Amino acid sequence: MGCGESTLKFTLFVLNILCFILGVLTLSACIFALIEFEFSEAVKIPCIVSSVLSCILFLTSILGCCGAQKKSAKATWAYSIIMLLLMAAQIAVIFVQPINFNNFSTEVIDKAWNVTDIKKDYLMTSYEIKYECCGKFGPSDYTDLNVTIPLSCYRNHNNRIDTNLLDVGCIDKLNAMFSSNQRIEEISDWTLAGLEGVSALVGGMLAITLQNIERRKYYH
């Protein structure tokens, strides 16, 4: 086995392990989101598409390892082509079908606001305490309904001081929180697309090397 072949095989194994891990993590996150937020249209299609791509990536990583181990140029070429297609699909998802966190925030708070009174009190209270917000859009959501503003809308649950009233709605607070998550998701998506591209390149180089080795055998 030549030094170049050994290096390419080792590099491809490492890349496939990374792709395998990222594929499993992405699939797990998508399945969790689909179960936890089954009511959300904002996450449904992006998560389903990402789940399908993650499963393909998972299987393709296995194909790449098997092709390299068995020194199969055909299997390695097939691996490289699929990886290129996955990279293209990943980039398409980034631009065409990303998660709309603004819509997602609205869906989450709307669901908490519109459920039955007992459950609503629990859900809205938990969001208001966690994110230091009040109502969907602000305290007026309660006053417009002639409902007493809950203690969860006040800092330290103290409604004796007017300035303690939180005047920011929970939808805006969730949007602010998700803006940082969106950046993390974009970095993760581009990292995965880049990893798939590098894997396709290394796989192609290994396939060419394996083909050259096969050709040389006919001259000996």
Side-chain angles (χ1 to χ4, degrees):
M1 183 186 295
C3 180
E5 181 189 352
S6 300
T7 302
L8 289 171
K9 284 184 66 175
F10 176 77
T11 303
L12 194 62
F13 276 121
V14 172
L15 290 171
N16 279 322
I17 290 172
L18 292 175
C19 285
F20 180 87
I21 293 172
L22 284 177
V24 170
L25 290 176
T26 302
L27 181 60
S28 301
C30 288
I31 291 175
F32 171 80
L34 288 171
I35 295 174
E36 184 72 13
F37 305 107
E38 26 79 27
F39 59 87
S40 175
E41 294 296 327
V43 303
K44 185 174 294 183
I45 295 178
C47 282
I48 290 174
V49 172
S50 294
S51 295
V52 172
L53 292 179
S54 296
C55 289
I56 296 173
L57 178 61
F58 173 84
L59 296 173
T60 305
S61 298
I62 296 174
L63 173 64
C65 289
C66 291
Q69 181 64 32
K70 294 182 179 297
K71 300 182 182 181
S72 171
K74 290 182 179 180
T76 309
W77 272 124
Y79 162 83
S80 298
I81 293 171
I82 296 173
M83 275 297 188
L84 279 176
L85 294 175
L86 280 173
M87 181 186 69
Q90 185 71 33
I91 294 173
V93 169
I94 293 172
F95 287 106
V96 178
Q97 198 63 58
I99 294 177
N100 189 319
F101 285 103
N102 181 51
N103 290 346
F104 180 55
S105 301
T106 303
E107 288 174 337
V108 169
I109 299 303
D110 276 346
K111 181 175 176 58
W113 183 264
N114 293 326
V115 292
T116 58
D117 290 339
I118 296 177
K119 200 171 182 181
K120 170 183 172 180
D121 290 341
Y122 170 76
L123 287 174
M124 283 306 301
T125 297
S126 65
Y127 285 127
E128 287 167 343
I129 292 174
K130 183 176 182 179
Y131 300 108
E132 295 188 339
C133 54
C134 184
K136 293 168 62 177
F137 303 103
S140 61
D141 289 329
Y142 290 102
T143 57
D144 289 346
L145 295 173
N146 294 321
V147 175
T148 302
I149 298 175
L151 292 177
S152 54
C153 281
Y154 292 86
R155 294 181 180 86
N156 302 317
H157 292 186
N158 184 358
N159 61 357
R160 297 179 181 178
I161 303 175
D162 292 339
T163 55
N164 280 351
L165 180 62
L166 301 165
D167 57 358
V168 179
C170 291
I171 290 178
D172 287 339
K173 273 301 183 77
L174 254 69
N175 275 333
M177 183 197 70
F178 285 143
S179 63
S180 60
N181 290 349
Q182 186 170 12
R183 182 60 179 166
I184 294 172
E185 185 197 12
E186 290 173 353
I187 293 173
S188 175
D189 288 343
W190 279 111
T191 300
L192 183 56
L195 189 60
E196 289 166 346
V198 174
S199 298
L201 176 62
V202 174
M205 292 172 63
L206 178 60
I208 293 172
T209 300
L210 293 174
Q211 284 181 331
N212 290 337
I213 292 174
E214 285 294 322
R215 289 194 188 101
R216 285 196 291 268
K217 287 181 180 179
Y218 293 108
Y219 295 98
H220 293 284

